[in-house]
Amino acid sequence: MPTAPAPSDLTAIVPALPGDRLTLADFAGLATTVAGYPYVKLVLDQETSTVHLIDGADRMLHVQYVGERILGMTRAELARNLDAFNDSVYRAADRRFLLGTLALHDRPEHGGQFFSLETVEVDTMGPDLLRSFYGTVRTLVDDAVPVLLKPANHLQESFLQQPSEQLPLILAHELYSTAPYVPLNPGTTIGRLRIFSDETAYRTTTDPVRWHDILVMARMPDDIPRVAGLINARHTTPLSHTNVLAAGWGIPNAIQQGALQRLAELDGSWVELIVDPAAPELTVRAITRPDSVDAGPAWAATQVDIGKPDLAAAQILPLEDLRSTDAHRFGTKAANLGELTAVLRDGSPYWLGFYQAPRPPRPHLLEYLARHLATSSTDSTTLDQAAHRMLTEHAVVPRGIALPFALQQQFLESSPAIQQTIGKLKMALALGGEIDGLCAELGALIRDTPLPTELRTLIEDAVLRHLTGAGRVVVRSSSNAEDLIGFSAAGIYESVPEAESVEDVIDAIQRVWASLVTTRGVLLRDEAGIGLSDCFMGVVIQQQLDGALGGVMVTTNPLDRNDFRSVLLNLARNSVDDVVSGARDPLQHLYNTMEGGSRTVALGAEPGDVDDQAKATLGRLALIGRLLQAHFAGADGNVDAPVDVEWLVDGDRIVLLQCRPYQLGA
């Protein structure tokens, strides 16, 4: 096997450097920038003792450079043998080439400027090659700039548990948690910059936040109205409620540390905000107030399609009897839970779709799926059976029932006081009147008005018939005014956990119904053109299960729209509610559902990472996410359209709590 060259054996550097070492000036001439930091790709050819530095202007992948520039392959030859070639450079024990990236960081908390060296994310390079690779690159770089090895995945982290004087390490989550700039939702907007030092300042302002404002805060409250842009002055997860809303609204959103101080002089000014993934930081520049603002928001002219609800059927059904096509009667959340139950029981004719789709130059990704499912065959029948076996062995959907829209409507119509207050609220919305007091009054009436005897008996009988012995249950919202294109409603409606008696369940149902008429929900829907008469609330009542880990997964990488391989998991120990509600910052893992492998990008408020068993189970969850993504796309849908999954993990058991569309925004 070739060995990495000793420093004295290096015979060439491509392109040639003016001196013997790579200086910061040399690096700047070759680098390209992504997510706020400059980097250079490099290739160590162990056979010729040559280090190649790839000019960022060439925009070449490592394998393209090795194949075309070093080995003289044509692009067609490389495409025909791409997977085998990738294995030879990323997995082979006797590999000739070591591929990596050298990135420059400037972090005061890490002593100032330094380089991080990492391999490609899917590389299985072992400890000996990692040490040789690091030693060679360290010799290449000017001694004045420190070089830290950054393990590219959990496998490499396991090889290099402890930093040492000879091999200084920095982990991915250490870099992400201190990154000065993270583009969460790219885009450009104009608006009035509003800086709030904390939530108290936001709550007590005498100048209400308007649709054309760009908010700057350390942490955005979950109940922000629709605005023009968001700037987070401290780190947050891309899956927080406010960031999910920003993606659904299609507004620019980013993390820029120090923004409260840096932008202070522009507070109250009209600005242009640019969130560019290729830029080193936010662009915020003062502009003159545009006349177009007087015409109102452009999005107000686009009505959200809410569909026509079915209020005729008043039957309470077990989740196992629902399908996704029942969303017009029960809401998307309830219907998709029924669909999940069916998929686990019966399998799916569509769930291989993500891996069957052509990915030029690959005709499909079935070989990768076969590897994940531990089968040597790429035959669709074999893969389908293996996928079904994995889900039935490891995944469950808690049993439960769903209440249709029709029951809520029956309840509302049973009370003259509720009907009168609904009429007042509709009039206030039409005339632009004050609605806070009316929303509060209506919500209280819905929560406190006794159910008609017939309706209460119907609910009690369904709970006793289907949930006896379940212990605690959770009562969830399932509205027709959520999970829509252009309107996600993340965090707007209520879910009530820990219901232990039938009385608890009745109380929770009325709380969920009442959450449809909060001031925030009413205003957000009104802005989107969704009238009060168009909105209905279904309810899901499910057995409440526990898990050592819980969280949210989206089957995409929100930080890199071009990364079709990875899914992002946010997780916390013991509580999915902490992740969903944003009560504490979660652990964040990225899982590669193509070549495999995973990495931790943030520890959040957790004291440390999860163990290897948990990582393996989460990897299985990521694969299940890809299967569900394709299933919900169906025969004619977009198999790359991501889904948002709430989950729990206990040992190797995966509990699927929810599956809905995830809006990426513009």
Side-chain angles (χ1 to χ4, degrees):
M1 180 181 105
T3 58
S8 59
D9 294 333
L10 287 173
T11 57
I13 296 173
V14 180
L17 298 176
D20 296 331
R21 299 291 185 88
L22 177 70
T23 66
L24 291 177
D26 300 325
F27 178 87
L30 297 169
T32 190
T33 299
V34 168
Y37 60 85
Y39 72 93
V40 168
K41 297 174 184 175
L42 54 86
V43 175
L44 169 57
D45 184 346
Q46 299 189 92
E47 184 175 291
T48 63
S49 300
T50 304
V51 176
H52 300 251
L53 303 175
I54 304 174
D55 193 329
D58 289 345
R59 299 186 180 277
M60 297 189 75
L61 300 175
H62 284 93
V63 291
Q64 289 177 317
Y65 184 90
V66 171
E68 297 174 22
R69 299 285 179 87
I70 300 179
L71 300 180
M73 300 171 67
T74 66
R75 187 153 296 190
E77 288 175 319
L78 183 60
R80 283 195 300 271
N81 301 284
L82 184 59
D83 291 329
F85 190 80
N86 281 341
D87 280 343
S88 74
V89 294
Y90 295 139
R91 298 176 180 274
D94 59 348
R95 67 187 72 178
R96 171 181 169 181
F97 301 103
L98 306 183
L99 315 182
T101 299
L102 196 64
L104 181 64
H105 310 270
D106 192 353
R107 308 287 175 83
E109 64 277 9
H110 294 295
Q113 285 190 319
F114 65 92
F115 285 115
S116 67
L117 172 68
E118 67 177 314
T119 69
V120 176
E121 169 205 341
V122 299
D123 203 310
T124 61
M125 196 182 295
D128 292 339
L129 280 180
L130 284 168
R131 291 189 180 93
S132 295
F133 192 31
Y134 173 82
T136 301
V137 175
R138 171 65 276 184
T139 302
L140 169 70
V141 175
D142 190 332
D143 287 337
V145 186
V147 179
L148 306 181
L149 181 63
K150 176 189 169 191
N153 49 51
H154 286 140
L155 178 65
Q156 291 184 4
E157 286 184 21
S158 70
F159 293 150
L160 305 166
Q161 290 295 324
Q162 298 295 329
S164 67
E165 184 178 345
Q166 291 75 34
L167 198 60
L169 301 181
I170 190 163
L171 302 181
H173 66 79
E174 294 176 297
L175 280 176
Y176 178 82
S177 64
T178 59
Y181 170 57
V182 180
L184 295 169
N185 198 49
T188 299
T189 191
I190 58 174
R192 182 179 57 153
L193 198 71
R194 304 291 305 280
I195 298 178
F196 296 101
S197 57
D198 53 32
E199 187 169 342
T200 299
Y202 170 79
R203 301 287 180 199
T204 59
T205 181
T206 57
D207 183 5
V209 169
R210 301 284 307 283
W211 65 267
H212 51 62
D213 286 339
I214 298 170
L215 301 187
V216 184
M217 298 179 70
R219 181 188 287 275
M220 300 288 168
D222 280 351
D223 60 354
I224 58 171
R226 184 164 183 167
V227 292
L230 301 177
I231 301 173
N232 302 269
R234 55 154 287 186
H235 273 265
T236 179
T237 168
L239 304 188
S240 71
H241 279 153
T242 54
N243 293 331
V244 171
L245 286 171
W249 291 332
I251 63 172
N253 179 24
I255 298 166
Q256 181 71 68
Q257 295 205 63
L260 294 176
Q261 296 76 31
R262 174 187 164 193
L263 300 175
E265 293 183 356
L266 292 173
D267 188 21
S269 301
W270 285 83
V271 301
E272 179 185 50
L273 167 67
I274 302 175
V275 177
D276 182 356
E281 60 185 3
L282 278 181
T283 297
V284 181
R285 65 180 185 87
I287 62 170
T288 302
R289 182 186 185 278
D291 293 337
S292 59
V293 172
D294 297 326
W299 46 261
T302 303
Q303 301 295 298
V304 173
D305 182 10
I306 196 169
K308 183 174 177 58
D310 180 356
L311 302 178
Q315 185 180 8
I316 298 174
L317 293 178
L319 292 177
E320 62 189 24
D321 289 348
L322 297 185
R323 296 296 181 272
S324 58
T325 51
D326 291 312
H328 65 297
R329 293 190 293 151
F330 293 87
T332 300
K333 191 179 298 181
N336 282 6
L337 279 169
E339 190 73 23
L340 281 178
T341 302
V343 168
L344 264 62
R345 183 184 64 240
D346 304 325
S348 167
Y350 310 121
W351 61 5
L352 304 184
F354 174 84
Y355 292 94
Q356 289 172 327
R359 309 281 176 177
R362 301 174 180 86
H364 53 70
L365 301 178
L366 292 175
E367 290 87 353
Y368 294 96
L369 178 60
R371 186 182 298 171
H372 288 304
L373 295 174
T375 177
S376 59
S377 173
T378 59
D379 173 72
S380 294
T381 300
T382 302
L383 291 174
D384 180 81
Q385 293 172 347
H388 196 196
R389 186 164 55 250
M390 177 187 67
L391 262 75
T392 55
E393 289 178 356
H394 297 286
V396 297
V397 175
R399 63 186 168 118
I401 59 176
L403 279 60
F405 302 147
L407 293 191
Q408 180 221 14
Q409 186 66 7
Q410 285 181 14
F411 167 68
L412 298 179
E413 291 175 349
S414 72
S415 167
I418 289 177
Q419 288 299 300
Q420 184 179 36
T421 310
I422 289 174
K424 291 179 181 178
L425 180 56
K426 288 180 179 177
M427 183 173 294
L429 287 167
L431 299 176
E434 177 62 39
I435 71 165
D436 280 352
L438 289 170
C439 286
E441 180 183 351
L442 181 56
L445 283 170
I446 294 172
R447 287 191 299 272
D448 298 336
T449 300
L451 297 184
T453 302
E454 182 181 349
L455 179 55
R456 183 184 179 99
T457 300
L458 181 67
I459 294 172
E460 288 178 347
D461 287 349
V463 171
L464 293 173
R465 186 182 317 118
H466 297 289
L467 289 167
T468 294
R472 299 165 304 149
V473 298
V474 57
V475 182
R476 302 178 185 274
S477 60
S478 183
S479 172
N480 68 328
E482 60 183 320
D483 302 325
L484 305 170
I485 296 175
F487 190 79
S488 74
I492 293 177
Y493 307 126
E494 188 162 4
S495 290
V496 184
E498 307 290 343
E500 296 185 348
S501 66
V502 173
E503 196 61 41
D504 289 342
V505 171
I506 297 294
D507 178 71
I509 290 170
Q510 292 185 247
R511 285 175 57 185
V512 169
W513 282 342
S515 70
L516 192 66
V517 296
T518 62
T519 300
R520 181 180 182 233
V522 169
L523 287 177
L524 283 174
R525 293 193 304 267
D526 190 61
E527 288 174 345
I530 303 173
L532 194 62
S533 299
D534 300 320
C535 303
F536 299 92
M537 181 65 78
V539 178
V540 175
I541 307 170
Q542 265 185 303
Q543 182 181 20
Q544 185 169 331
L545 299 179
D546 296 319
L549 295 172
V552 178
M553 167 179 65
V554 293
T555 56
T556 185
N557 179 358
L559 299 176
D560 183 355
R561 303 290 175 85
N562 296 317
D563 178 10
F564 70 88
R565 291 167 162 79
S566 300
V567 305
L568 178 66
L569 275 68
N570 278 195
L571 52 141
R573 289 173 171 87
N574 301 317
S575 176
V576 65
D577 293 329
D578 282 352
V579 174
V580 175
S581 68
R584 74 174 188 259
D585 292 334
L587 266 163
Q588 298 182 51
H589 283 194
L590 280 170
Y591 284 81
N592 183 320
T593 58
M594 187 172 158
E595 292 91 353
S598 57
R599 61 193 188 277
T600 302
V601 295
L603 288 181
E606 296 295 321
D609 213 339
V610 297
D611 60 27
D612 290 344
Q613 179 188 355
K615 289 171 184 171
T617 303
L618 295 174
R620 190 176 294 119
L621 171 62
L623 185 62
I624 289 172
R626 285 294 190 218
L627 300 177
L628 295 178
Q629 171 181 311
H631 171 80
F632 280 98
D636 303 316
N638 175 13
V639 296
D640 290 326
V643 292
D644 174 327
V645 179
E646 287 184 21
W647 54 270
L648 293 171
V649 159
D650 188 15
D652 64 354
R653 184 186 70 163
I654 297 168
V655 183
L656 301 174
L657 302 175
Q658 180 175 299
C659 183
R660 60 187 181 184
Y662 176 71
Q663 305 294 342
L664 279 174

